[in-house]
Amino acid sequence: MTKDIIISEGIRQFNLKGLKFKMDDISESLHISKKTIYVSFASKEELLMAMLDTGFAEIHKTKQNILESDLPLVDKLRKVMIAMPDQYLVIDFRSLAGLRQQYPEVEKHLRKHLENDWEPVIALMEEGIRQGILKPFSIPVLRTMFTASLESFLSSSVLKDNEISYSTALDLMMDIIMEGVTCNEKEN
C-alpha cells in the first residue's frame, strides 16, 4: 500500500467527515488494517500534514500553469492568488475550523504553507505595477491581508455561519482586492 493511496483516501474521508474522520474509516475503505496505515503514518496528525503537503504541491502546479499561460496580467494575478486544482474544488475547507484546537502542529504547518512560495505572485504584482496595469500598493501589506484572510476562512466558522462556500469566499475576496469597495465615478 503506497503512501499516496492512503493520502488520497485521507483527503476523501476529510471531504466526507471533516476532521472527524478516523484512521478506521481509511482502513475500512481501503480494506487494509490500521497497522498498515501506521507503518506509513505514525499518527493522524502526520497523515494530515502529508495531506496538506500533497494539496499544496498540487496548488503550486496549478499556479505554475496559470503563470505560464497567455492570460492578461490582471486575470493571471487573480487566478494565481486563489489557485485551486479541480480535484480540490469539491472539498469543504470550512471543515478545518477546529484545526487549531485539535491539531495545533498541523495548523502551524498549514500557516507555513500559506505564508511561503509567494515569489512568483510578488513578481507578477511588481510587473503589473511597472507596466502601469496595477496602481502602486504595498505588496507586504496585501500579502499579509491575504494570508490572514485565508487563515481566518480556514480557522473560523464565519463562512459556514453565513452559508458561503470556500471557493465563493475566495472569489469575493479577489473582487474586493482587485476592484476595491468604492464606486467608480461613472457609477455615482
Side-chain angles (χ1 to χ4, degrees):
M1 183 67 43
T2 69
K3 284 184 167 190
D4 291 341
I5 292 170
I6 296 169
I7 290 168
S8 292
E9 183 57 27
I11 292 169
R12 193 178 83 74
Q13 290 297 327
F14 172 82
N15 193 36
L16 293 171
K17 300 177 180 181
L19 289 173
K20 294 178 183 175
F21 81 86
K22 297 179 179 156
M23 299 300 242
D24 286 329
D25 299 323
I26 295 170
S27 69
E28 287 174 22
S29 179
L30 294 177
H31 306 291
I32 59 173
S33 70
K34 278 197 323 188
K35 186 177 178 179
T36 303
I37 297 170
Y38 285 115
V39 167
S40 296
F41 301 99
S43 65
K44 181 177 174 182
E45 184 173 69
E46 191 176 304
L47 174 59
L48 287 168
M49 286 192 192
M51 290 163 53
L52 281 174
D53 291 342
T54 298
F56 276 94
E58 291 299 317
I59 288 169
H60 291 302
K61 285 181 195 172
T62 301
K63 285 183 177 189
Q64 193 58 45
N65 289 339
I66 293 166
L67 290 167
E68 292 171 359
S69 73
D70 293 333
L71 288 169
L73 189 138
V74 171
D75 294 341
K76 198 179 286 193
L77 180 60
R78 180 184 193 88
K79 288 182 181 290
V80 80
M81 286 185 69
I82 59 171
M84 188 69 61
D86 290 342
Q87 68 266 34
Y88 293 108
L89 292 175
V90 296
I91 295 175
D92 188 357
F93 289 100
R94 301 174 305 176
S95 298
L96 287 171
L99 190 63
R100 182 174 291 154
Q101 293 79 17
Q102 291 178 281
Y103 303 99
E105 291 304 310
V106 177
E107 191 269 338
K108 285 180 192 171
H109 196 66
L110 171 62
R111 194 171 337 114
K112 189 173 111 182
H113 273 297
L114 293 174
E115 293 170 356
N116 289 335
D117 300 317
W118 273 81
E119 293 78 15
V121 177
I122 291 170
L124 195 60
M125 291 176 189
E126 290 171 341
E127 180 62 26
I129 292 169
R130 264 193 308 279
Q131 290 182 20
I133 296 170
L134 302 174
K135 65 183 177 182
F137 63 92
S138 172
I139 292 173
V141 170
L142 176 63
R143 177 181 172 180
T144 302
M145 287 171 36
F146 189 83
T147 56
S149 295
L150 292 180
E151 288 177 28
S152 180
F153 291 163
L154 298 173
S155 66
S156 75
S157 63
V158 70
L159 297 181
K160 213 169 229 176
D161 294 347
N162 290 285
E163 299 179 7
I164 301 171
S165 74
Y166 183 73
S167 60
T168 298
L170 293 178
D171 286 335
L172 292 170
M173 179 175 61
M174 286 310 299
D175 286 346
I176 293 167
I177 288 171
M178 300 302 285
E179 299 166 22
V181 295
T182 57
C183 295
N184 293 330
E185 293 206 17
K186 295 176 192 172
E187 296 173 5
N188 290 333

